[in-house]
Amino acid sequence: MPEASPARPVTAQILHVDPRHAQADDLAEGAAARPFVTIGAAVARAQPGDTVLIQTGIYREHVAPARSGSADRPITIQAAPGAQVCIRGSECYVGPWQPAPGLPDTVLRADLGVFVFLDGNPYTEQAGSLPGWKCQGQVFIDGQPLTEVDSADEVAALPGTWRSERDGRWVQVHFPSGAIPGAATCEITVRRRVLVPAQRGLGWLVLRGLTCEHAATRSSGGFWEPTGSQMGMVSCRAGHHWTIEGCTIRHAKTIGLDIGNEGGADRVGEAELAHTAVGQHRIRNNSICDNGEVGICGLGHTGTRIEYNRIERNNCLGHHSVEEAGIKLHFCFDGIIEGNLVRSNQGCGIWLDNVWYGTRVSRNVVLDNYNSGIFVELGDGRCLVEHNIVAYTRAGDGIYTHDSSGVVVAHNLLYCNAHFGVYMRYVSERSTQGESGADIHVGCSRQQVLNNIFVDNYRGALSLPLPNERAQDNRTDWNLFVGGTQWQWEGHFNRFSIGGNDKRIPGAEIAAAVQQACAAAGVPAPDATIFPEHAFLDLDGWRIAMGQDRNSLCPAVHQGAVENGAVRKGSCTLTTGGPMLTFNNPATFNSLRCPPVPGCNRDFRGRVLPTQHVRPGPFQDYNADGATHQPLWPVAPAAEARG
């Protein structure tokens, strides 16, 4: 039998998209001389190894990749060099504008009957997690979102607002001051999706340099129900090995980017904790901002890396579901969340929920978020939260865990958070599957809080439960507690709590345990009448009651005595705009040497840590004399850092 001839290699194509080209045609072959008009036409033609190269333009379409690439031949959808490519789920409304009956002439009506809605009319469907009655659509004037209100009285009174009349036919718009109907550009979201595959499970796709915006996405609340969903404006749709880099994803009504398996009837369940078919994504160097509910969400994925992105101002519409966050992940296995700027989200900054085994949250800058900076919920296994800077959390803790065991919190800077720097507890009677697969009643055990720096966390530095059958083998040590750099005259920032706040451990039991421990140590016990409402201790009392933090340090002020329990104001300053961190008194922050924590191999700068005697907190480099300035963003990729 003659030997078979080797297969000829398939030549990769560049499929050009340029609607401004005189010869552009969606029936063309996509050459530079005869490009496609729409991205969708080019993507439908793309085969493994092909690149869809897009020229500048606003593309009002739903791009739906139809097939997978392969490991060595991905399908790439990208902006041409220097091109500004914007894919929008909105259409322009050009009129005619009509008066709104019974309202001032400053309010006009747009007739939605001119639009085609392919997946239900979003102006008749309520966005259930928003207060009042709000629909799932949006209105933009000259690129800026207007504020949706509930009533005709509100839209009449407030310029820059709009409302749906709920019948799906009309919206009322009160134009912002200076915007002239007919001259201003009015855009109305009509599509649920902007870039979402036609089928689930596609892999080896690359999105690069695209702006995706304006989509009438549904809320992620209820994704656990068979009829629920968690599909974003951009969605991997249970895919694998996607690369999304250099993109901007903004102004979705709810979810910006979904990297999981969507939820609903296809959601991952507890019997699929080793789920590996979804994931292995690389989400890198993107701006994911100003989405109505959540920036990135994902249910059930393995090996995903979320790196060096700006995650800002998400939940900007004030949703009240249980999902609002900059990043919210469920069933996230062996993932990495590293080097991101997570700032000013109206929800948690980073939230890992049910479950997160093998995931690492590292070297992120988490500033000015609401509720918790980093939240780890519901699980029993390995999770490492290390070398992060978590500051200015509003109405919450820097790092918060509940119903979680096995979390290691190490080498973080917890700075000026409204509640505790680190707060760990159990709050429910739920069960979860541990990393071994066993069914486990949730608790707060085997938690480790090591080698961190706590600065001026307003309610207190640290809170853990009293040791009991659901809170065992917790360890806190080698931490540096600093108070007074911001509010010198309050002087109570280095307080510690035994975590009876949820009332599951009676206050009398906490008081008895503290008194017994103090008696055994031969030291005076706190007044029992302060329990349970004010169960706060100083570091010495914490050590006695909990048997923790034997080697931690509350340093005295440099060049002077401690004043009202606080170091000198201005010893440390973090500005959010840059952001920039300045240590005006490096000696205070350079006063402790700690044993290394397994798994913490590089500092915030990406430099390899010493094998012994490391400094607490995210930095290993301080000036010997004078101030030390630490620029915080962008965070250099660890593999490229040199030290």
Side-chain angles (χ1 to χ4, degrees):
M1 179 180 292
E3 186 174 320
S5 299
R8 290 187 301 172
V10 178
T11 302
Q13 298 184 82
I14 297 178
L15 302 172
H16 296 266
V17 181
D18 186 358
R20 299 175 299 176
H21 195 285
Q23 301 300 317
D25 188 337
D26 276 349
L27 299 179
E29 68 278 4
R34 290 202 68 206
F36 294 103
V37 176
T38 65
I39 301 170
V43 168
R45 190 79 61 89
Q47 300 293 325
D50 289 350
T51 296
V52 175
L53 193 66
I54 311 165
Q55 298 297 329
T56 293
I58 296 175
Y59 297 82
R60 300 185 187 276
E61 55 181 299
H62 168 203
V63 178
R67 61 186 60 85
S68 296
S70 62
D72 58 343
R73 297 175 64 80
I75 293 175
T76 300
I77 306 169
Q78 70 174 49
Q84 302 295 314
V85 175
C86 183
I87 312 173
R88 287 183 180 164
S90 60
E91 295 286 347
C92 288
Y93 183 75
V94 296
W97 291 96
Q98 301 186 23
L103 295 177
D105 57 10
T106 53
V107 180
L108 298 175
R109 297 169 95 201
D111 183 356
L112 301 183
V114 301
F115 300 123
V116 175
F117 303 109
L118 299 179
D119 186 17
N121 184 335
Y123 298 89
T124 64
E125 296 186 40
Q126 185 173 4
S129 57
L130 288 176
W133 195 96
K134 307 291 194 305
C135 71
Q136 296 170 0
Q138 296 185 91
V139 176
F140 299 82
I141 299 293
D142 291 334
Q144 297 302 309
L146 300 191
T147 300
E148 186 180 8
V149 295
D150 292 333
S151 69
D153 289 343
E154 288 174 298
V155 79
L158 300 170
T161 61
W162 72 279
R163 67 180 288 265
S164 167
E165 293 187 5
R166 304 192 194 183
D167 60 1
R169 181 63 187 269
W170 303 94
V171 295
Q172 301 168 357
V173 178
H174 191 158
F175 278 73
S177 299
I180 302 172
T185 300
C186 176
E187 296 171 282
I188 295 177
T189 53
V190 300
R191 284 177 287 277
R192 301 285 188 183
R193 307 159 186 148
V194 166
L195 203 158
V196 179
Q199 59 180 310
R200 307 178 80 245
L202 300 187
W204 305 108
L205 296 172
V206 178
L207 311 181
R208 185 176 292 129
L210 310 173
T211 294
C212 298
E213 59 186 9
H214 301 184
T217 48
R218 294 184 170 96
S219 176
S220 65
F223 66 86
W224 50 88
E225 302 290 346
T227 57
S229 177
Q230 200 184 69
M231 187 183 294
M233 176 170 62
V234 177
S235 176
C236 300
R237 287 212 74 193
H240 60 92
H241 294 95
W242 284 48
T243 297
I244 302 174
E245 60 184 1
C247 294
T248 297
I249 299 173
R250 64 189 179 194
H251 293 310
K253 183 76 176 197
T254 55
I255 303 167
L257 172 64
D258 161 37
I259 57 175
N261 69 8
E262 302 177 85
D266 298 308
R267 70 187 178 94
V268 68
E270 291 184 356
E272 302 173 88
L273 289 181
H275 195 76
T276 58
V278 178
Q280 306 297 333
H281 304 306
R282 299 293 179 268
I283 315 300
R284 187 179 177 95
N285 294 329
N286 303 285
S287 176
I288 301 174
C289 61
D290 301 296
N291 295 290
E293 183 179 20
V294 58
I296 302 176
C297 68
L299 172 68
H301 50 98
T302 298
T304 292
R305 302 177 71 104
I306 301 173
E307 303 172 308
Y308 313 110
N309 304 281
R310 298 175 72 105
I311 314 290
E312 300 181 285
R313 301 180 302 279
N314 296 289
N315 196 31
C316 61
L317 297 181
H319 284 262
H320 292 288
S321 70
V322 291
E323 303 307 314
E324 58 268 9
I327 301 171
K328 177 68 189 289
L329 306 178
H330 292 81
F331 292 91
C332 172
F333 307 104
D334 300 323
I336 295 175
I337 302 173
E338 180 170 356
N340 302 282
L341 176 61
V342 184
R343 180 167 58 180
S344 301
N345 297 283
Q346 190 64 16
C348 296
I350 300 170
W351 187 351
L352 304 181
D353 188 1
N354 189 25
V355 283
W356 24 256
Y357 310 140
T359 290
R360 177 166 58 86
V361 181
S362 176
R363 304 170 64 235
N364 300 283
V365 181
V366 184
L367 305 176
D368 184 42
N369 299 286
Y370 177 82
N371 194 16
S372 298
I374 299 173
F375 181 9
V376 184
E377 177 181 9
L378 191 59
D380 191 306
R382 297 167 297 130
C383 182
L384 179 60
V385 180
E386 50 104 8
H387 283 99
N388 302 283
I389 295 168
V390 188
Y392 301 129
T393 305
R394 292 171 278 127
D397 308 285
I399 297 175
Y400 173 63
T401 77
H402 72 220
D403 296 348
S404 296
S405 297
V407 180
V408 177
V409 173
H411 283 285
N412 301 283
L413 172 63
L414 292 314
Y415 184 95
C416 295
N417 298 288
H419 199 232
F420 285 94
V422 173
Y423 185 25
M424 296 175 162
R425 60 177 180 166
Y426 51 88
V427 301
S428 77
E429 304 301 328
R430 294 179 290 182
S431 294
T432 186
Q433 278 194 319
E435 195 166 4
S436 66
D439 215 27
I440 294 174
H441 188 204
V442 297
C444 178
S445 296
R446 305 185 316 284
Q447 307 279 75
Q448 299 185 60
V449 183
L450 306 169
N451 298 12
N452 302 282
I453 296 177
F454 295 76
V455 177
D456 284 355
N457 297 284
Y458 192 80
R459 189 172 186 191
L462 181 57
S463 179
L464 270 77
L466 192 72
N468 64 83
E469 70 280 0
R470 294 177 63 186
Q472 301 180 27
D473 302 320
N474 294 314
R475 182 182 175 218
T476 70
D477 209 353
W478 298 99
N479 299 293
L480 180 65
F481 300 104
V482 178
T485 74
Q486 299 296 301
W487 305 285
Q488 176 148 2
W489 305 114
E490 301 234 0
H492 62 238
F493 303 101
N494 289 329
R495 301 189 304 184
F496 302 82
S497 171
I498 311 181
N501 311 52
D502 58 8
K503 312 301 182 188
R504 293 172 186 275
I505 304 174
E509 185 177 331
I510 296 175
V514 173
Q515 292 169 334
Q516 183 178 0
C518 290
V523 298
D527 184 352
T529 61
I530 69 172
F531 293 96
E533 290 81 7
H534 305 288
F536 289 105
L537 305 170
D538 61 13
L539 181 58
D540 289 338
W542 170 259
R543 286 170 169 161
I544 293 168
M546 300 289 284
Q548 302 289 341
D549 278 295
R550 297 299 184 193
N551 299 286
S552 292
L553 180 64
C554 288
V557 66
H558 179 61
Q559 296 179 340
V562 172
E563 237 183 300
N564 199 30
V567 302
R568 180 159 48 89
K569 184 176 180 180
S571 297
C572 181
T573 301
L574 194 157
T575 54
T576 59
M580 171 74 73
L581 180 63
T582 299
F583 296 97
N584 290 311
N585 177 16
T588 298
F589 302 93
N590 196 24
S591 54
L592 187 63
R593 294 293 184 272
C594 316
V597 175
C600 296
N601 302 318
R602 295 179 182 270
D603 72 0
F604 183 83
R605 298 275 167 237
R607 299 182 177 95
V608 176
L609 291 181
T611 57
Q612 55 184 350
H613 303 310
V614 297
R615 293 177 173 87
F619 305 105
Q620 295 297 307
D621 53 329
Y622 295 92
N623 292 334
D625 299 301
T628 296
H629 303 285
Q630 299 281 7
L632 302 183
W633 182 262
V635 178
E640 301 169 15
R642 298 289 181 267

